[in-house]
Amino acid sequence: MSNNYAPQIIAANLACLTTLLGGCWISWASVSLNKLSDTEPDLEQIGFRLSKYEISWMTCLLDFGNFSSPILACVLMDKIGRKYALLLSSVFYCVPTLFLIYPDVMSLYISRFSVGFAKGMAFTILPLYISEVSDSRIRGTLVALGSSQMYVGLLLVLFIGPLISLKALSISLCALPYIFMALFSFMPESPYHLAILGGTTWRFESIVRKSKADMEEGSSFTQLFTNPANRKALFIVLVISFFQRLGGITSLIVFGPKTFPETNISLLNPAHSSIIVMLSIIAGSVIQFRLSDVMGRRALLGFSSITVSIVLLLISIYFIFPSMDYSYLVYVLIVMYGFSYNGIGAVPFILLGELFPMNIRCQSSSVAAVAMAAGSFITNKFHLLLVTYTNTCVIFLFYSFINLLTFLFTMKYVFETKCKTFEEIQELLQKSLKSSPKNCRTRHK
């Protein structure tokens, strides 16, 4: 890759440390299940126990915080810029220090809400920052780093968490935001925000610049709904963002140890299920690193969603007819699930940075983050309860159906944006409004 891209790659990777932190705190819940559950002894002398009901709240409060912060993040992006809004989001990752000082249920709830608040801000700001400092030829790859870094964070905690105490793990995670703030403070601001402030120079040469017309138009949430092209873009991004999380990815990682079956193979057991899922997802992301810029966004999302739907359907069939002799097949399917997930995981973030004019991109990003948080909240709140009180096949059938809907929606409404500038994408949106759905699909395949 050209050396001209080096500053963009460095900035994108450092910015993505915020999503790595979000991933760490997501899997913290999975690691803490047995350490905090009232069905297990308090071996680490934490001082309190959680019921299944309280565990479901502990898990979904992160999503509630995620749901609460995107609008604020949008306002902050316009007021103080993308860079400083990202730096501010990391401050909320430090709040779990409260849980270290006062280990009780209430401080745990506050800490989970706070890291969710930080995660919501990061996922709102990050796609904009990266897309605005990236050349169109590598934009999809760099934006996809956000979800990849989150997977790395998930996996790190799943590996390390069981080996150390919950207190030591929490101390480590509380220290990471300070490292991020120290490193990212040296990165430049988004050129779009500098343009608003009247700046004329920045360190990135290969970027997509803000058009004068967009700058003069201003920005507000009403423009998402009053402009037909923006409405269509919002519709596409909202649906695929909501379905991404409603499809079960977060709850399968967090509640894997309480969901998947025992086998006759020692390494294939529920305690390792979350690690298997994350290893598969990361391996798939590494192998398919450039796939969104080669295969295209629409094709990748369609292939990923239908494959995941079929895999989840097969897992649900196992739970209808469970057998210890064939339970290992569930873990084979989990690996297939992880390898196939890259499109669902990355494409919503890529489209978020591509479909909207720059003047309303922070508003669209915040609304999409709310949609993702809502999907995660629903699945995390009810997954464990459904697994406990119904047949496990029910939840997998539901997840399979949601991913099938994602495939059908992609084929009908999502068009290709690969290697197109923002201006070209806006022209495609305008043209699609004047065409029938059939013609639109034909044109952008």
Side-chain angles (χ1 to χ4, degrees):
M1 188 170 288
S2 171
N3 290 332
N4 293 333
Y5 297 147
Q8 302 173 28
I9 295 171
I10 293 171
N13 276 280
L14 287 178
C16 287
L17 290 177
T18 55
T19 58
L20 182 143
L21 274 165
C24 288
W25 281 109
I26 290 173
S27 54
W28 184 95
S30 179
V31 170
S32 68
L33 281 180
N34 290 332
K35 297 183 179 184
L36 294 175
S37 176
D38 60 5
T39 61
E40 303 292 335
D42 189 4
L43 298 178
E44 297 185 10
Q45 298 182 340
I46 296 171
F48 65 94
R49 304 280 86 191
L50 298 178
S51 65
K52 282 187 173 62
Y53 180 77
E54 289 171 324
I55 287 174
S56 70
W57 273 112
M58 174 197 73
T59 305
C60 70
L61 273 172
L62 184 146
D63 299 305
F64 188 66
N66 194 349
F67 183 88
S68 306
S69 61
I71 304 301
L72 173 63
C74 176
V75 174
L76 288 172
M77 277 192 285
D78 278 344
K79 297 294 183 182
I80 65 176
R82 281 74 160 127
K83 171 186 173 179
Y84 291 104
L86 266 179
L87 287 169
L88 181 60
S89 73
S90 63
V91 173
F92 291 95
Y93 280 124
C94 302
V95 173
T97 306
L98 177 68
F99 174 66
L100 297 173
I101 301 172
Y102 303 105
D104 58 29
V105 176
M106 185 53 64
S107 63
L108 175 61
Y109 283 175
I110 293 171
S111 299
R112 293 291 292 174
F113 177 85
S114 176
V115 296
F117 197 89
K119 178 174 173 283
M121 290 184 67
F123 273 84
T124 303
I125 303 163
L126 187 67
L128 275 70
Y129 178 80
I130 295 178
S131 66
E132 290 171 7
V133 300
S134 303
D135 186 274
S136 62
R137 288 166 289 186
I138 61 169
R139 187 175 60 227
T141 300
L142 293 186
V143 173
L145 284 174
S147 55
S148 298
Q149 290 267 31
M150 182 184 71
Y151 301 149
V152 171
L154 282 158
L155 188 60
L156 280 174
V157 171
L158 290 173
F159 266 124
I160 298 172
L163 304 178
I164 61 177
S165 69
L166 196 62
K167 183 176 182 179
L169 177 62
S170 302
I171 290 173
S172 301
L173 296 185
C174 287
L176 287 177
Y178 297 101
I179 297 174
F180 165 75
M181 286 185 276
L183 295 175
F184 192 67
S185 60
F186 294 99
M187 292 297 102
E189 179 56 87
S190 156
Y192 166 57
H193 187 71
L194 291 178
I196 293 177
L197 298 177
T200 57
T201 61
W202 45 76
R203 288 171 56 187
F204 296 94
E205 297 179 359
S206 299
I207 57 172
V208 179
R209 309 204 187 289
K210 182 72 179 70
S211 69
K212 182 178 179 181
D214 280 342
M215 292 180 64
E216 292 176 348
E217 192 175 344
S219 62
S220 69
F221 279 97
T222 58
Q223 291 181 41
L224 287 173
F225 305 98
T226 56
N227 183 290
N230 293 341
R231 280 202 305 270
K232 179 165 185 178
L234 183 66
F235 173 62
I236 292 171
V237 168
L238 274 183
V239 173
I240 63 174
S241 297
F242 182 64
F243 282 174
Q244 182 205 64
R245 301 303 173 84
L246 196 65
I249 179 61
T250 307
S251 53
L252 289 177
I253 294 169
V254 173
F255 297 115
K258 301 289 186 181
T259 303
F260 294 105
E262 297 282 355
T263 72
N264 295 320
I265 304 172
S266 59
L267 291 177
L268 301 182
N269 61 66
H272 297 152
S273 60
S274 297
I275 294 176
I276 294 171
V277 172
M278 286 315 309
L279 280 174
S280 303
I281 290 176
I282 291 176
S285 298
V286 170
I287 293 172
Q288 304 168 48
F289 181 63
R290 291 276 294 166
L291 207 55
S292 65
D293 285 326
V294 175
M295 186 176 179
R297 285 64 154 146
R298 182 176 184 268
L300 179 58
L301 180 57
F303 174 78
S304 176
S305 55
I306 191 61
T307 305
V308 165
S309 178
I310 294 171
V311 168
L312 292 171
L313 177 62
L314 293 174
I315 294 176
S316 71
I317 293 173
Y318 166 82
F319 283 105
I320 297 174
F321 308 103
S323 171
M324 181 66 78
D325 293 334
Y326 298 101
S327 58
Y328 71 92
L329 291 175
V330 173
Y331 292 88
V332 175
L333 291 170
I334 289 175
V335 173
M336 294 175 62
Y337 172 88
F339 268 90
S340 304
Y341 188 77
N342 183 51
I344 301 173
V347 172
F349 295 106
I350 296 172
L351 293 182
L352 186 59
E354 293 182 331
L355 292 183
F356 296 94
M358 288 188 178
N359 61 305
I360 59 166
R361 199 168 294 150
C362 66
Q363 286 82 1
S364 60
S365 183
S366 64
V367 174
V370 168
M372 288 184 180
S376 288
F377 181 89
I378 293 170
T379 57
N380 284 335
K381 185 68 182 76
F382 296 106
H383 179 101
L384 187 59
L385 298 177
L386 286 172
V387 168
T388 302
Y389 299 112
T390 68
N391 191 309
T392 306
C393 74
V394 173
I395 197 68
F396 282 100
L397 283 171
F398 175 76
Y399 293 154
S400 176
F401 177 68
I402 294 299
N403 283 282
L404 176 61
L405 289 182
T406 303
F407 169 75
L408 296 174
F409 180 86
T410 300
M411 294 299 100
K412 184 172 179 63
Y413 293 106
V414 178
F415 58 89
E416 190 52 67
T417 60
K418 181 183 73 172
C419 292
K420 292 181 172 63
T421 65
F422 293 132
E423 289 78 12
E424 290 170 338
I425 291 170
Q426 288 301 301
E427 289 177 6
L428 288 174
L429 273 170
Q430 292 290 347
K431 289 178 181 178
S432 69
L433 294 171
K434 302 174 183 178
S435 306
S436 67
K438 180 177 180 180
N439 290 336
C440 183
R441 286 197 302 271
T442 302
R443 180 179 299 140
H444 301 307
K445 278 185 179 180

